[in-house]
């Protein structure tokens, strides 16, 4: 996981947007479809051989990747003091965050308003 973006402000429950770590174009800084080496190694531990993000997401996200991410969320949820602090749903985004694509500012902080606006359709689907 490269970025985990928690959503829940004025919502019924918490959700999370997840980006998997991919390579960035050295020329433009745009996230590429090619997965980073550490992501590939993690997938190999799951006995999966993906090298691209689109490969994981095509025809719906790979169920084994979803299961592994859910297990991580479940471990985090065990530390929650109340149900209100537990993550209920998540989605994998189609590319990593970057300065070039606008989700991250020059100080490497996530621009919450940009992410919420850019992925509002995905966020709304989690709350239907």
């Amino acid at each position: 996981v490269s970025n985990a973006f928690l959503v829940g402000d004025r919502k019924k429950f918490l959700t999370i947007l997840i980006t998997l770590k991919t390579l960035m174009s050295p020329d433009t800084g745009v996230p590429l479809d090619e997965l980073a080496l550490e992501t590939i190694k993690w997938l190999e531990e799951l006995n999966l051989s993906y090298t691209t993000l689109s490969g994981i997401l095509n025809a719906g996200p790979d169920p084994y990747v979803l299961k592994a991410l859910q297990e991580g969320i479940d471990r985090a949820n065990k530390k929650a003091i109340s149900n209100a602090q537990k993550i209920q749903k998540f989605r994998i985004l189609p590319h990593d965050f970057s300065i070039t694509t606008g989700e991250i500012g020059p100080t490497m902080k996530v621009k919450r308003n940009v992410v919420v606006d850019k992925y509002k359709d995905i966020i709304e689907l989690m709350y239907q």
Side-chain angles (χ1 to χ4, degrees):
V1 172
S2 179
N3 290 282
F5 183 85
L6 188 67
V7 179
D9 198 25
R10 295 184 224 128
K11 302 285 187 187
K12 293 185 265 183
F13 53 88
L14 297 179
T15 61
I16 197 163
L17 299 174
I18 294 174
T19 66
L20 298 179
K21 191 165 189 173
T22 61
L23 298 179
M24 299 286 177
S25 168
D27 300 327
T28 63
V30 174
L32 301 173
D33 190 39
E34 188 177 346
L35 296 171
L37 183 59
E38 53 264 49
T39 308
I40 293 171
K41 286 182 179 179
W42 172 68
L43 291 168
E44 287 172 352
E45 291 174 11
L46 300 174
N47 294 317
L48 300 171
S49 59
Y50 294 108
T51 58
T52 63
L53 181 56
S54 61
I56 294 171
L57 298 177
N58 280 347
D62 184 285
Y64 295 105
V65 173
L66 292 177
K67 182 179 181 232
L69 292 171
Q70 184 62 58
E71 288 171 356
I73 290 169
D74 291 345
R75 283 192 302 275
N77 280 342
K78 285 181 183 175
K79 297 177 185 177
I81 296 170
S82 69
N83 283 337
Q85 295 178 338
K86 292 182 179 180
I87 297 163
Q88 303 294 322
K89 296 181 181 183
F90 71 95
R91 293 293 183 272
I92 302 171
L93 296 179
H95 66 81
D96 200 353
F97 293 168
S98 76
I99 293 172
T100 309
T101 55
E103 298 96 351
I104 296 177
T107 59
M108 300 307 291
K109 293 180 184 173
V110 175
K111 295 179 177 179
R112 290 195 64 80
N113 60 333
V114 171
V115 173
V116 168
D117 187 53
K118 190 171 191 174
Y119 300 106
K120 65 184 173 214
D121 294 341
I122 294 172
I123 293 169
E124 288 306 314
L125 282 174
M126 289 190 285
Y127 287 100
Q128 287 185 355

